[in-house]
Amino acid sequence: MTQQVPQVPPTETALTGVRNFRDVGGLPTEDGRRTAFGRLYRSGHLAHATAEDALFLGGLGLHTVFDFRNSTDHKLDGYDIELAGVRNVNIPLSDPADGAEFWRLVRDGNIEQLRSILANDKGTERMIHMYRSTIVNRTAEHSRVLHALAQDSVPALMHCAAGKDRAGLSIAVSLLAVGVEREAIEADYLKSDDPHRRYKVKRTDMSETGMSAEVMELLNPLFGAQATYLAAAFTAIDETWGTTERYLAEGLGVSPETRERLRERLLDRS
């Protein structure tokens, strides 16, 4: 890549067709360093990026865009736009058939059906289960991401549909691998709950009835970022592997040499 990679954080970029974009730079590590700006970005999907959005993204010097959506997501929102000279890598972090009926009800269900699947903390419980399951059962995918970052994929952009859950976990795993403090990972994750960043809820019935206050309250656990979700992922690491170090080494097969290459690529040199 010959483009100039930014060395300072970009301003709060108002991308028209891309939600939840940000640079994951400036986060503190446990050994006193910080993540470098211009190395790792996160966002929602790029399928609706405008020409102006593409111009901005094309100026970041990206090597790779990681898309963690599955085929159902692609049918709903479309495929990413192509950015000249940028590699697009699709690593689904959920099965398109997983919860297909659930998501159909989210999109098409009436208020009684939504209450039956989401009320009384059922929506929150589903999200917590998903975060734990993704950590425990998607080790091969997360290993692939980390090894790609260590080899040749930086600067990189990671996204799913909203840039909150699957991308959020992949960003969290990447940051854990270079020693970023868990509190800092959480603070970055929670930015996805900012109103201007959140995924735009799509329902077949977009009327006042279909998008009523009760409907939106029921859907909120699915489309919001909550500290308890990420905490569930961290707890799954601790319960399954004991420590972050064992998770990375035994769960993801990341060697000390690979972690050092990740630090070289993602952290400030000072």
Side-chain angles (χ1 to χ4, degrees):
M1 291 287 175
T2 59
Q3 297 100 319
Q4 182 65 37
V5 176
Q7 297 303 310
V8 295
T11 57
E12 186 69 18
T13 306
L15 295 173
T16 303
V18 180
R19 307 283 288 187
N20 204 11
F21 171 86
R22 58 190 179 275
D23 188 324
V24 193
L27 303 183
T29 64
E30 295 169 351
D31 62 359
R33 299 176 69 182
R34 287 187 178 271
T35 52
F37 289 103
R39 311 287 177 80
L40 187 59
Y41 302 91
R42 60 183 295 170
S43 74
H45 69 77
L46 309 185
H48 301 159
T50 65
E52 291 77 12
D53 296 338
L55 185 63
F56 172 82
L57 294 169
L60 296 177
L62 294 173
H63 182 287
T64 301
V65 170
F66 291 96
D67 180 357
F68 300 119
R69 297 178 298 159
N70 59 45
S71 58
T72 299
D73 296 308
H74 292 147
K75 289 178 182 177
L76 181 63
D77 288 317
Y79 289 91
D80 286 344
I81 62 166
E82 295 288 335
L83 299 172
V86 179
R87 181 177 64 177
N88 290 73
V89 177
N90 180 219
I91 305 178
L93 281 177
S94 59
D95 191 303
D98 181 29
E101 176 63 16
F102 173 87
W103 287 106
R104 187 193 67 77
L105 288 175
V106 167
R107 189 169 59 250
D108 300 326
N110 59 36
I111 189 63
E112 289 78 16
Q113 292 171 318
L114 292 179
R115 287 171 184 155
S116 71
I117 63 170
L118 298 174
N120 302 315
D121 295 324
K122 292 177 186 174
T124 297
E125 291 168 3
R126 181 183 180 87
M127 295 302 296
I128 287 173
H129 173 76
M130 186 275 284
Y131 273 65
R132 290 180 59 90
S133 176
T134 301
I135 286 293
V136 174
N137 298 324
R138 297 290 179 167
T139 52
E141 290 87 343
H142 283 139
S143 176
R144 180 181 170 191
V145 170
L146 292 186
H147 283 91
L149 291 176
Q151 291 165 5
D152 63 356
S153 298
V154 176
L157 168 65
M158 297 184 183
H159 77 80
C160 48
K164 172 179 72 78
D165 302 318
R166 290 164 290 184
L169 284 171
S170 296
I171 288 287
V173 169
S174 302
L175 295 175
L176 286 174
V178 296
V180 174
E181 300 170 355
R182 286 189 178 187
E183 293 80 4
I185 297 174
E186 178 187 290
D188 174 73
Y189 165 77
L190 289 176
K191 290 180 180 179
S192 292
D193 208 42
D194 294 345
H196 70 285
R197 298 183 188 276
R198 287 174 57 130
Y199 185 75
K200 290 184 178 179
V201 177
K202 298 182 181 68
R203 297 217 340 120
T204 301
D205 181 2
M206 296 291 286
S207 70
E208 290 186 11
T209 299
M211 300 289 285
S212 70
E214 183 180 0
V215 167
M216 298 311 292
E217 183 178 355
L218 288 167
L219 294 177
N220 184 61
L222 308 180
F223 296 101
Q226 297 186 21
T228 52
Y229 299 166
L230 191 62
F234 290 153
T235 298
I237 289 173
D238 297 338
E239 290 178 350
T240 306
W241 290 278
T243 65
T244 299
E245 301 301 312
R246 287 186 59 192
Y247 165 64
L248 293 166
E250 300 172 16
L252 305 188
V254 178
S255 68
E257 294 77 16
T258 298
R259 290 189 68 185
E260 183 55 36
R261 287 198 298 273
L262 285 167
R263 285 189 283 267
E264 290 173 359
R265 292 184 179 277
L266 297 179
L267 299 183
D268 277 335
R269 305 200 185 282
S270 56

